[in-house]
Amino acid sequence: MSQFLGEFEVPVDDKGRVFIPAELRRELLPEDGDTVVVVRGLDGCLTAYPQRIWGGIAKRMMEMPQTEQRVRLYYRGMLSQAAKVKLDKQGRAALTRKLLERAGISDRMIIIGALDKLEFWDPNTWHTYIQQA
């Protein structure tokens, strides 16, 4: 099983593309197809799941009782802004402007490895958050 580890500060270009460092890209498995699913994360970040990990999360979500309002709120809040993102040959991921704005990310981003996923943070938010840890 791959493990994403480390902290990296990277630029975000005008088109919302961000370079995923090689150390992190190497952890994507062939079955991921260089694809991640990016959703609203916790604590103000974005979370990027490799395609194979997202498949398991989606399966568990579909097993949740959709008759419960809290489940529907969770679905709608998480999935309405989700995006499937394929890394290009240069290792860049093109994120939607809506997702970037949601996390307060503009021209720079902190990417952290969080075992089975990546987290994308606004640098100021990340530094404030990590000081509390």
Side-chain angles (χ1 to χ4, degrees):
M1 182 171 142
S2 60
Q3 292 184 3
F4 298 103
L5 303 171
E7 175 185 323
F8 307 85
E9 185 165 351
V10 297
V12 179
D13 72 13
D14 294 339
K15 296 180 181 178
R17 292 178 302 195
V18 59
F19 178 74
I20 306 297
E23 296 92 324
L24 299 173
R25 288 193 322 267
R26 280 194 287 272
E27 296 301 321
L28 289 171
L29 299 179
E31 56 264 33
D32 293 321
D34 289 329
T35 301
V36 294
V37 175
V38 182
V39 298
R40 290 175 50 192
L42 302 174
D43 302 314
C45 71
L46 301 175
T47 303
Y49 294 97
Q51 190 164 271
R52 69 189 143 75
I53 301 293
W54 179 256
I57 292 168
K59 182 179 179 187
R60 288 191 304 274
M61 287 176 72
M62 287 187 276
E63 293 169 353
M64 296 169 74
Q66 294 183 28
T67 56
E68 294 184 23
Q69 183 180 18
R70 65 182 178 84
V71 171
R72 292 191 308 273
L73 288 170
Y74 173 72
Y75 267 43
R76 291 171 181 151
M78 179 184 247
L79 301 176
S80 63
Q81 296 179 13
K84 190 180 270 192
V85 178
K86 184 164 180 63
L87 277 60
D88 67 15
K89 293 183 191 287
Q90 289 78 36
R92 296 175 302 187
L95 303 175
T96 66
R97 191 57 50 197
K98 186 179 276 191
L99 277 170
L100 292 170
E101 288 171 1
R102 176 59 106 179
I105 296 169
S106 57
D107 61 339
R108 304 225 33 98
M109 171 192 298
I110 301 291
I111 301 175
I112 68 163
L115 295 178
D116 64 342
K117 61 191 168 292
L118 299 173
E119 292 183 348
F120 301 155
W121 289 84
D122 163 68
N124 293 327
T125 305
W126 170 249
H127 294 303
T128 300
Y129 182 80
I130 198 65
Q131 285 177 348
Q132 298 170 7

